[in-house]
């Protein structure tokens, strides 16, 4: 239980409490407006408490995940080993189709590589 009393967790607890209180307060405010005759506020009267419930559910989920030691999955790195071969094939086709375009592309590639050396 001590790990939930660290500054980071205390901030999350405070944030959850403030958000729930604010969302319920906004719901009450919309309820008052709906009672005064604003028909659109009826939808918001039910929407704001749903946001508060969402905050509580996510807060509980974060606590359970921390308690159970569940780690978030690392993003997968997409590797494209055939990328160099594909680029070579594209360049070869361009050189066959239009030599002037291929020369211009080589010129741009050289300029691009020179600009990266200066950085």
């Amino acid at each position: 239980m001590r790990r939930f009393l660290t500054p980071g967790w205390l901030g999350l607890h405070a944030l959850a409490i403030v958000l729930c209180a604010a969302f319920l307060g906004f719901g009450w405010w919309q309820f008052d407006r709906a009672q005064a005759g604003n028909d659109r506020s009826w939808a918001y009267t039910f929407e704001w408490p749903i946001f508060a419930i969402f905050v509580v559910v996510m807060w509980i989920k974060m606590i359970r995940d921390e308690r159970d030691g569940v780690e978030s999955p690392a993003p997968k790195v997409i590797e494209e080993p055939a990328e160099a071969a594909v680029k070579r094939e594209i360049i070869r086709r361009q050189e066959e189709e239009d030599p002037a375009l291929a020369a211009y592309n080589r010129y741009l590639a050289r300029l691009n590589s020179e600009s990266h050396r200066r950085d």
Side-chain angles (χ1 to χ4, degrees):
M1 288 305 286
R2 244 176 224 212
R3 65 181 148 194
F4 298 118
L5 298 177
T6 61
W9 274 104
L10 289 175
L12 285 173
H13 299 323
L15 180 66
I17 291 169
V18 167
L19 285 175
C20 282
F23 292 163
L24 292 174
F26 291 151
W28 187 257
W29 170 60
Q30 291 295 335
F31 178 72
D32 287 342
R33 287 182 50 133
Q35 291 289 333
N38 186 348
D39 291 337
R40 185 182 302 167
S41 291
W42 282 112
Y44 295 122
T45 299
F46 299 105
E47 184 178 89
W48 285 110
I50 291 171
F51 290 158
I53 291 169
F54 178 76
V55 169
V56 171
V57 167
M58 292 308 296
W59 180 60
I60 290 171
K61 182 186 180 324
M62 288 172 54
I63 289 175
R64 285 184 178 171
D65 287 349
E66 178 70 21
R67 185 190 63 200
D68 297 339
V70 176
E71 294 186 21
S72 60
K76 295 181 180 179
V77 177
I78 299 174
E79 296 181 17
E80 297 184 26
E83 183 177 342
V86 170
K87 284 183 182 178
R88 282 193 303 270
E89 179 63 24
I90 291 171
I91 291 170
R92 186 188 63 74
R93 284 185 186 171
Q94 285 179 349
E95 287 178 350
E96 288 176 359
E97 293 173 4
D98 189 357
L101 178 62
Y104 182 68
N105 284 337
R106 283 192 300 272
Y107 170 71
L108 291 178
R110 184 176 53 84
L111 289 177
N112 188 32
S113 67
E114 289 175 2
S115 70
H116 286 293
R117 279 189 249 156
R118 287 186 228 158
D119 293 340

